[in-house]
Amino acid sequence: MDHSAPGPAARALSMLRRHRVFAAAFGVGAVLRLITMLGYGPAMWFNDSYEYVSVALHPRPHPIRPDGYAFWLMLLKPFHSFTLVVLTQHLMGLATACLIYALLRIKFRLPKWGATLAAAPVLFDAYQIQLEQLVMSDTMFMLLVVGVITMVLWKRRLTWKAGAVIGLLLALTWLTRSIGLPILALVVLYLLVKRTGWRPITAVIAACALPVLAYMGWFASAYGKFAMTNSDGLILYMRTAIFADCNKMDIDKYKEVQLLLLCINDPVNQRKDYAQWYLWGQGNGDGTGTGEVLHRWGTNKKFSEITNEAASKFATRAILSQPGDYLQVVVRDFFRSFHWGRPRFPDESTYNMYQFKPYYEIDANGQPKRLPRWSSYQGGRTDTDAFSYEQGPPETRIVHPWADIMSGYQKVFYLRGIVLGGILLIGLYGVVVRWRKFGGPVVLPWLGAFGLLLAPAATAEFDYRYVLPAVPLACIAAAITLRRGVTSGRRSPRSAAASWPTTLRVRWSRRSARGKATRS
C-alpha cells in the first residue's frame, strides 16, 4: 500500500473542494477581469495616470502625490507593457478577496458562504474591476490596507517581527497614498487599546518610519522641504474655495498679502459646486475667473512650497472663520457615498473615466481621441511618455464583443451606495454592542472604512474611486458583527436550552446535599 503524501495538485484540488463556494466566486471574478482586459487593452487612463508614468520614466519625488505606485510602474518598466501593469492590478484585486475570505473563514469562523459574501463586492463590482484596469494607485492601496488589517486581526498576540512587517506595509500604504498616515495612527491606537505590548508597537512605528523618512529626505533634496508633498495645503484650499468668504476671514490687507491674493472675487452663490475646479480649472482666460487664482503663479510654480504654505493658511483661516459652512460641505460630500445610483459628479469628464464605454470618443476631426498632450510636471509630455513606456501605441483599444459585455455588466452589477451605508450601520452596531471592549475586533476595520470615506470629504472632495477601498473594510466589520448573529454578546436560546438540564441537576444536587447535612 502506498502511504506517500498527496502531491501539490491533489492538495490543491482538495482545497478547492473544501472551499468550492469561494472558488466558484473567485473563478467568475477572474473571468470578468479577463473579459475586461480583452475589451479594453492595453489599459484605461485617468488624468493622474500620466504623472505616474512620467515619474516611472524620469524618477523624482513628485510634488503632488507620493511615488509609491510610480515605483511599482518602474519595476515593471523593462517589460514595456501596460497590459502587464493592469494584469498585476487585477491579481491585486483577487488577492484582496482572498485575504477577506481567509480572515473571516479561518480567524473568525464564518461559514463559507458568509465569508464569500463579504468578498463578493471586490470580486464582482464592475467599478472595482474598471478601477483595476486603470493605470492608477487605488488597487494597490486597497490591497495594502486590507493586508495590514488582516495581519493585525489575525493573531491574538502580536510579535515584534509581525509588527515590523505591519510597519513596512503601512509605510508602503503611506507612500502609495497620503491617507496612509491616518491608517498608521489608527493601527497604533488599536494596538495600544488592545495592550499588545511596547515591543510590537515600537516595531510597527520604527519599520514604518524608516522608509517614510528616507523618502522625505529624498523629497527635501529636491525641494528643500522635509515632507511628502507640496500639495496638502493646496488640496485643502480647493476644499474651502467653494465657500470661503474673505469678508468673514478678517484678513489684514497690509500684513497678509499672500492670503489676500488667494481670495476669490466671484460671489459665493455663483461659484462652481465642485471643489476640483479651484485647483485644476483654467479660468476664463482674462485673469478674473475663479480658476485663475492659483494659475497666477504659473503652472510650474503652483505646487511650490510658498504657494502651498499660503494656501494652507488660507484654508485654515476659512475653516476657523466659517466652521458651519465647512461642516456643511463635508457632510454633503460624505453622504454622496450612499446614493442608490451614481450621480454625475464632480463633472461629466471625470464621471466618464469610470465607465466601460463600448465605443471610441471622437475628436473634432471625427477620429478616435488620442491621449492628451499635456506637459508633465518637470519635463516630458503625457502622450510621448506613455508611448515610451509601452514602446507602442498606449491608447485604449475597444474590442467587441468583450467591451459590450462589460459595458452591459456595469449597468447592473455594482455595489449601490445605499447598500454600503447599510453595511456600515451593521458594523457600527457591532462596535456599539462591544463597547466594554472598545468595539473589539470590529472597531479597526469599521473605523478604517469610515475614515477612508470621511477623509476625502474633509480634506479634498468626494470622488467615486475613493469609495472603493473602503468597501472591503466595511464588509469585514459587518461580517465579524454577524458571525454569531446581531445578538452578539448574549447567550443564544439554543445554548440556554442546552444548559437548562445541567443547571437543574446542579441545583438538585446542592439541595440534596443540604438536606443530608440537615438530617445528620
Side-chain angles (χ1 to χ4, degrees), residues 22 97-108 115 150 154:
F22 177 74
C98 290
L99 287 176
I100 296 170
Y101 179 82
L103 176 67
L104 296 176
R105 177 66 187 145
I106 299 173
K107 169 65 179 176
F108 292 102
T150 299
W154 194 274

Side-chain angles (χ1 to χ4, degrees), residues 79 104 151 165 203 240 259 365 400 415 439 443 449 512-513:
F79 298 97
L104 296 176
M151 286 200 67
V165 175
T240 60
L259 300 190
N365 299 320
H400 304 281
L415 185 69
V443 70
S512 299

